[in-house]
Structures are given as structure tokens and as C-alpha cells.
Amino acid sequence: MKLLVLFSSCEGQTLKIAKHIVAQQEGEVVADFLAIDKQLQDVDLTAYDKVLIGASIRYGKFRPQLYSLLETYQSQLSTKPVAFFGVCLTARKPEKNTPETSVYMKKLNLNAAWVPKLQAVFAGALLYSKYTWWQTLLIQFIMKMTGGSTDKSQDLELTDWTKVDEFATQFSNLND
């Protein structure tokens, strides 16, 4: 199987999740990883059997390049088995960790030109060691407001890998 993985990741957690999903696929898999944040020029989706798209939330939004990608390639994507996952810190809370309960996924589904049927949202990682001082302050403020960790002396991985594995199985079984 030839798989295209399109991802948007700031500190690398979205890419880490995408690689984990690919590693769970059955059979022989050849995967190409392309960053959405870079200019994607003429990606030929006909060369791939399936597409996996992963994008992180940063300061309350998916990056505009995700919306551009979904608009530009909507007709090609609609002919393939495609799965999408979003990564955000609010998904650490059980009441906000599904596409139906995540405000970011709801907004994506309302505003994107095209969205895949198979979707998930996963908690990311709180990586204070990778943030600039300004990002640390801003994220600490957000974490304080939402009841998360403000301890910048340690990084926290909040991803529920069991949930990722379940999504990987669904993706493996995804057909047109």
C-alpha cells in the first residue's frame, strides 16, 4: 500500500502520532510524509492508495495552509480513503476529545471546503522546553485558565496512545 501522510506540526507531536498510525498499518506500507506548512506544489494523489492528514492546533486555530490544502485537493481527496486527526491540548479532557465535542473540529467541519468521514482528535504534548519565553508565558496562561500544568520545569506528553491505536485500526480498515 502506498500512503500519503500530510501533516502540520509545530513541536513534532502531530508527526509523532502520524508515524505511530502508519506503523500500525497491516501489510507492506510505503509512506511519504509531506509537511502542509511548506508550499505543497502539485501533489499527485493518484499515486497513493490512502491519505492520512494530521494537523495541530496552535493558539486556538488550525493553520490556514490546512484549509488551503482541503480546498485545493478536495476533488482528488474525495476519491480516496482519507482520515484526518487534529491534535490539541484541550483534548486531554474527556469531554473535549472527540470530533463531536471538540470546538476546533466542529469549526473545521463547518469551514473547510471538504472533510473526510474518518476523524479523530488527540491530546498533544505540553513541551515547555521547546517554547520561546513568550510562547511559555502564553501557554502557561492558557493552561492556568483551563486547569492544565503550568510547571515549565517538565514536559508532559498527554497523548492517549490507546485511542491513537484504535484510530489506526479504523484507518487500516478504511476503504473507499
Side-chain angles (χ1 to χ4, degrees), residues 88-93 95-96 123 125-128 131 136-152 154-156 158:
C88 63
L89 290 173
T90 58
R92 73 187 186 281
K93 297 181 175 188
E95 69 275 11
K96 296 185 179 193
L126 194 52
L127 303 174
Y128 283 115
Y131 304 148
T136 297
L137 257 133
L138 190 55
I139 291 172
Q140 280 181 311
F141 177 70
I142 293 166
M143 288 294 105
K144 186 171 178 89
M145 287 180 13
T146 62
S149 174
T150 59
D151 179 4
K152 65 181 181 179
Q154 62 179 345
D155 290 344
L156 295 174
L158 303 167

Side-chain angles (χ1 to χ4, degrees), residues 40-109:
L40 292 178
Q41 299 293 329
D42 301 319
V43 176
D44 181 13
L45 297 183
T46 61
Y48 298 95
D49 299 306
K50 287 185 178 182
V51 179
L52 176 65
I53 304 170
S56 61
I57 293 292
R58 189 57 165 227
Y59 307 124
K61 300 180 194 180
F62 286 113
R63 280 172 224 51
Q65 294 92 333
L66 173 64
Y67 289 97
S68 295
L69 171 100
L70 295 174
E71 183 176 350
T72 301
Y73 292 99
Q74 65 181 314
S75 63
Q76 292 179 56
L77 288 168
S78 67
T79 67
K80 302 259 174 222
V82 180
F84 175 85
F85 67 93
V87 178
C88 63
L89 290 173
T90 58
R92 73 187 186 281
K93 297 181 175 188
E95 69 275 11
K96 296 185 179 193
N97 71 0
T98 68
E100 297 79 26
T101 60
S102 166
V103 66
Y104 307 115
M105 294 296 284
K106 286 181 191 179
K107 190 185 287 187
L108 175 73
N109 289 336

Side-chain angles (χ1 to χ4, degrees), residues 147-167:
S149 174
T150 59
D151 179 4
K152 65 181 181 179
S153 70
Q154 62 179 345
D155 290 344
L156 295 174
E157 186 172 80
L158 303 167
T159 305
D160 179 344
W161 292 103
T162 301
K163 190 174 176 195
V164 174
D165 287 342
E166 290 167 5
F167 180 76

Side-chain angles (χ1 to χ4, degrees), residues 7 12 99 172:
F7 68 94
S172 187

